């Protein structure tokens, strides 16, 4: 109670109406450690492009969900996810728009927030360059005699073969991680249907999401050059597994995705144990350093049919990611399988070296 010129007034603190402004949705885009502005033009030989959306809400942050889509590359938005960060190692030339929406803890929608950019084409892909080269060959052929024409024809054939070789090399470069030589995510999404179709008769695929344990400590203690050497050696060991029949993808950072055909005659835990031992049994040698490296693995089955797999492959990867999370929480240096069950919760199976 309080007295004023008008008499007595009462203030009830429980009756105050609290208002909150909508939590702002922000997006940070970087490549090569430099931030990009909306409408940026990116050279053809660009590094990894990182999109990092953040919803500035501090209530129950673990319940915030993001949905993203790179329009021009992704056929549809990704599923709602707690982690909205997206990385694209190599994007083909063209115009793109990255869109992100968010749901806060109260299921209120924010966004969509858009970021437009263009990836320039390399000079050799421009029509004028190709047309000029062809016209030059024609003029040279007309100016010379038959002998000269035959020589030019032979040379043209040689150039075509060289262009084909270089084009193949460029296509491979656009589909692989430049450090480790493993495939990148773009190639994975383009080929997962083909890989699953080839393995339908054997029951589908076995997906292993592999994370190098304590990799940040290796970088902090020895430097990034040594960390890169460790990544290269681990990738080489994974690629040699099962006579090189698997497909290895650099999933991001120190994570790899190893795809194997399901083998009904070999237990999955035996194959996963072989991966753990291949990575951790022998120390990685970098100069005079000998570094003991271990890994954690989350693995699961990807079953047929191959038709429509592009629409639900993220759910399969999500199961493997949950299993990897459990492997880390259980002490690392082990594998955990997410087995399908009739309930929404998978059955979990732990595998140790």
């Amino acid at each position: 109670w309080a007295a004023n010129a008008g008499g007595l007034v009462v203030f009830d603190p429980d009756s105050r109406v609290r208002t909150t402004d909508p939590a702002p949705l922000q997006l940070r885009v970087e490549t090569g450690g430099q931030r990009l502005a909306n409408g940026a033009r990116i050279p053809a030989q660009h590094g990894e492009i990182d999109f990092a959306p953040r919803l500035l809400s501090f209530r129950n942050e673990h319940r915030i969900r993001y949905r993203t889509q790179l329009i021009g590359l992704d056929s549809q938005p990704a599923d709602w996810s707690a982690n909205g960060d997206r990385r694209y190692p190599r994007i083909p030339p063209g115009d793109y728009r990255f869109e992100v929406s968010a749901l806060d803890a109260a299921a209120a929608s924010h966004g969509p927030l858009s970021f437009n950019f263009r990836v320039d084409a390399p000079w050799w892909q421009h029509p004028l360059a190709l047309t000029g080269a062809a016209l030059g060959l024609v003029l040279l052929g007309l100016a010379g005699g038959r002998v000269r024409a035959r020589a030019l024809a032979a040379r043209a054939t040689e150039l075509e073969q060289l262009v084909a070789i270089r084009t193949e090399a460029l296509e491979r470069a656009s589909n692989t991680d430049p450090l480790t030589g493993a495939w990148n995510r773009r190639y994975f999404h383009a080929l997962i249907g083909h890989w699953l179709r080839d393995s339908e008769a054997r029951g589908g695929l076995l997906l292993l999401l592999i994370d190098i344990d304590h990799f940040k400590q290796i970088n902090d203690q020895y430097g990034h050059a040594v960390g890169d050497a460790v990544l290269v050696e681990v990738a080489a060991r994974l690629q040699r597994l099962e006579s090189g029949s698997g497909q290895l993808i650099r999933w991001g950072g120190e994570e790899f995705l190893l795809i194997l055909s399901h083998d009904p005659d070999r237990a999955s835990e035996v194959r996963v144990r072989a991966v753990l031992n291949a990575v951790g049994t022998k120390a990685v040698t970098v100069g005079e350093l000998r570094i003991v490296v271990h890994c954690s693995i989350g693995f699961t089955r990807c079953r047929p049919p191959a038709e429509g797999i592009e629409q639900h492959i993220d759910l399969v990867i999500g199961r493997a990611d949950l299993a990897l999370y459990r492997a880390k929480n259980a002490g690392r240096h082990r594998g955990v399988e997410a087995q399908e069950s009739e309930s929404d919760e998978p059955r979990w199976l732990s595998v140790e070296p």
Side-chain angles (χ1 to χ4, degrees):
W1 293 84
N4 63 13
L8 293 176
V9 296
V10 61
F11 172 69
D12 183 0
D14 293 331
S15 68
R16 288 181 297 171
V17 177
R18 296 177 173 86
T19 60
T20 58
D21 295 330
L25 177 59
Q26 297 185 1
L27 176 63
R28 185 181 183 91
V29 184
E30 292 184 349
T31 182
Q34 296 191 0
R35 190 166 183 173
L36 300 178
N38 194 14
R41 294 187 64 170
I42 302 174
Q45 300 299 323
H46 63 81
E48 186 173 72
I49 304 176
D50 298 325
F51 297 87
R54 293 294 182 270
L55 181 63
L56 302 184
S57 173
F58 303 101
R59 295 181 56 197
N60 298 321
E61 294 180 67
H62 66 281
R63 297 177 58 187
I64 295 175
R65 294 293 182 269
Y66 300 91
R67 181 171 64 184
T68 63
Q69 181 182 13
L70 181 55
I71 299 175
L73 186 65
D74 300 335
S75 59
Q76 63 182 18
D79 293 333
W80 290 101
S81 170
N83 182 7
D85 291 359
R86 296 292 181 268
R87 298 182 180 89
Y88 295 88
R90 193 67 60 88
I91 299 179
D95 294 312
Y96 298 92
R97 184 170 77 254
F98 183 85
E99 288 192 351
V100 56
S101 301
L103 294 176
D104 60 23
S109 178
H110 301 266
L113 187 63
S114 298
F115 183 90
N116 298 289
F117 65 99
R118 167 178 289 184
V119 178
D120 291 332
W123 67 268
W124 48 266
Q125 285 188 355
H126 287 283
L128 286 177
L130 297 175
T131 302
L135 182 58
L137 289 175
V138 171
L139 292 175
L140 286 174
L142 293 175
R146 293 182 61 183
V147 174
R148 180 69 173 169
R150 289 175 182 174
L152 288 174
R155 179 59 178 165
T157 301
E158 182 181 347
L159 288 174
E160 288 177 2
Q161 293 173 348
L162 181 59
V163 168
I165 293 172
R166 290 184 177 177
T167 300
E168 182 180 356
L170 288 170
E171 288 179 353
R172 181 171 180 83
S174 69
N175 292 322
T176 56
D177 170 51
L179 176 64
T180 63
W183 300 119
N184 58 30
R185 284 198 185 197
R186 174 175 174 268
Y187 190 77
F188 164 76
H189 285 289
L191 269 294
I192 181 61
H194 172 75
W195 293 334
L196 183 55
R197 195 173 298 111
D198 284 349
S199 300
E200 281 184 331
R202 298 178 62 83
L205 299 169
L206 181 64
L207 272 60
L208 289 75
L209 193 57
I210 303 165
D211 183 89
I212 300 177
D213 294 337
H214 304 298
F215 182 73
K216 184 177 183 300
Q217 295 180 10
I218 296 175
N219 273 340
D220 292 344
Q221 183 174 355
Y222 302 110
H224 289 279
V226 173
D228 287 349
V230 169
L231 287 173
V232 171
E233 174 60 22
V234 169
R237 294 181 183 184
L238 295 174
Q239 287 172 323
R240 289 194 295 266
L241 286 166
E242 305 206 4
S243 302
S245 61
Q247 301 290 343
L248 184 66
I249 295 93
R250 174 94 180 271
W251 201 244
E254 65 271 23
E255 285 188 352
F256 293 92
L257 179 64
L258 180 62
I259 301 177
L260 304 173
S261 292
H262 174 67
D263 189 344
D265 298 326
R266 294 183 65 198
S268 297
E269 52 266 32
V270 174
R271 305 172 79 184
V272 170
R273 188 172 292 113
V275 175
L276 291 169
N277 291 330
V279 173
T281 300
K282 182 180 178 182
V284 175
T285 301
V286 183
E288 297 182 356
L289 296 173
R290 289 176 56 81
I291 304 171
V292 177
V293 178
H294 296 301
C295 68
S296 300
I297 303 174
F299 63 103
T300 191
R301 287 275 301 280
C302 181
R303 300 179 183 273
E307 184 177 356
I309 184 62
E310 294 81 5
Q311 280 69 49
H312 65 267
I313 186 61
D314 288 340
L315 297 177
V316 181
I317 296 296
R319 286 204 309 270
D321 194 47
L322 286 174
L324 176 60
Y325 180 79
R326 282 179 168 262
K328 290 181 178 180
N329 280 352
R332 294 183 168 87
H333 189 33
R334 69 194 64 226
V336 171
E337 180 180 12
Q339 297 180 336
E340 296 173 289
S341 65
E342 295 180 358
S343 65
D344 293 336
E345 179 71 13
R347 294 192 302 270
W348 308 103
L349 173 66
S350 181
V351 177
E352 296 186 7

